[in-house]
Amino acid sequence: MANIAAKRIKREFKEVMKSEEVAGGAIKLELLDNSWTELQGEIAGPPDTPYEGGTFLLEIKVPETYPFNPPKIRFMTKIWHPNVSSVTGAICLDILKDQWAAALTLRTVLLSIQALLSAAEPNDPQDAVVAKQYKENPTLFALTARHWTHAYAGGPAAIRDFDAKVQRLLDMGVDEHQARVALSTYDWELERATEQLFNREE
Amino acid sequence: MAETSEAQASASASAPGGDAGGDDDKHDERMLECNICLDTARDAVVSMCGHLFCWPCLHQWLETRPSRQVCPVCKAAISRDKVIPLYGRGNTKQEDPRNKVPPRPAGQRTEPESNSGFPGFGFGEGFHMSFGIGAFPFGVFTSTFNFGDPRPSAAPRGTAQYEEEQFLSKIFLWVAIVFVLWLVFA
Ligand SMILES: [Zn+2]
Ligand SMILES: [Zn+2]
């Protein structure tokens, strides 16, 4: 059984390497061990999205029952997106769950995750806080996502106002990521974010 | 979305072929690849929606999701009875691959130790076992005696090996019946 999984991954790996998406830099796939069970994916943030210019790393674990069951994939790069947990990187995507089909490949899955970055599904969220902001304040959501892309995925666009607020919390001794999460969660209202951070620590 | 791009990719991959014979051959080979293991389909079956699979691969897919039986490629409804076995040239026995017992994932079925004296084995289980024997003579023959290949190897009809397997499985069936009777009356 594990035999068919490893054989298929080898085949898929070769195909991905020859694909035009790899040539064009849209996706990448790297092998992490010799047993063909752990891989690292990489997708480029799609153009005309807050993720543009960012590079997002994905952890890919291939179960022994692959391809009869889907690969387990999560974002290793922190990302602000309604369908991705800002804490764990877990992805809410139907084809990684009950809509998985054995003919899907790592290549098509990576492309689907990339497509998810262009078209979020806020009504089927993985991260309720992000989804709420996406629906209620789309402009602020886009800025926040762009800020995260800059901070974690090497994106080009810094948001000066946000950086300044993160710095204020850093000066108070708050961890950088915690500061960013609190500010993002409270729509970049410094006072509410501070309150929440210091109340929780008591 | 994902499927669309897959189709586009294979279309563009095959487009440059045609000028060289080697590319054509490669393309033909890909046409006959199972959509699940991506290898050349063995015991090939084709679904009503036209998608090709190895029967063992498709069987395992259907068993993995008994409540949601869809084509792994296009998600059309699919079932054991609605696939067509493909017989190529040189496949003289024309045996329906669906009649073979597909290989199972390891560890799903373990045979009891035959020399353990069956402590705690009730009549029900014993009877159930012998029923299985009747239905799958080859399967029981190979799995009970553990001869090499765990897959039942159906020898071509008419050959000496086929006769021998038939004979041995009949003998085993009788042994099983006697054993059950012994369980009941001893
Ligand atoms: Zn197959
Ligand atoms: Zn189909």
Side-chain angles (χ1 to χ4, degrees), chain A residues 175-195:
Chain A
D175 166 78
E176 182 184 327
H177 179 61
Q178 273 190 344
R180 187 166 288 116
V181 170
L183 286 162
S184 303
T185 303
Y186 290 99
D187 292 346
W188 297 92
E189 288 172 26
L190 190 55
E191 249 174 58
R192 278 171 68 207
T194 315
E195 204 174 283

Side-chain angles (χ1 to χ4, degrees), chain B residues 32-142:
Chain B
L32 297 175
E33 278 171 12
C34 163
N35 280 288
I36 292 177
C37 65
L38 311 184
D39 221 326
T40 307
R42 68 197 160 87
D43 294 341
V45 294
V46 67
S47 60
M48 298 299 268
C49 45
H51 291 116
L52 182 73
F53 307 96
C54 310
W55 169 245
C57 288
L58 184 62
H59 179 268
Q60 190 167 353
W61 169 250
L62 295 176
E63 277 213 330
T64 307
R65 276 132 213 265
S67 59
R68 199 176 142 271
Q69 304 217 321
V70 296
C71 170
V73 181
C74 69
K75 297 188 177 170
I78 195 170
S79 75
R80 181 198 155 96
D81 303 325
K82 285 187 178 156
V83 297
I84 302 157
L86 291 181
Y87 306 118
R89 196 170 159 265
N91 186 352
T92 46
K93 57 187 186 234
Q94 302 229 331
E95 188 186 351
D96 189 332
R98 287 172 296 178
N99 293 339
K100 294 190 195 174
V101 182
R104 307 264 171 159
Q108 273 204 352
R109 179 174 160 81
T110 44
E111 294 292 339
E113 291 287 319
S114 53
N115 57 358
S116 65
F118 294 94
F121 251 76
F123 172 77
E125 277 162 298
F127 180 75
H128 190 78
M129 270 171 50
S130 61
F131 185 77
I133 290 157
F136 293 107
F138 296 161
V140 164
F141 174 68
T142 48

Side-chain angles (χ1 to χ4, degrees), chain B residues 129-137 140-141 145 166-180:
Chain B
M129 270 171 50
S130 61
F131 185 77
I133 290 157
F136 293 107
V140 164
F141 174 68
F145 292 109
Q166 286 285 307
F167 176 67
L168 280 169
S169 62
K170 269 183 198 140
I171 286 187
F172 191 80
L173 184 62
W174 279 110
V175 169
I177 289 168
V178 170
F179 177 68
V180 169

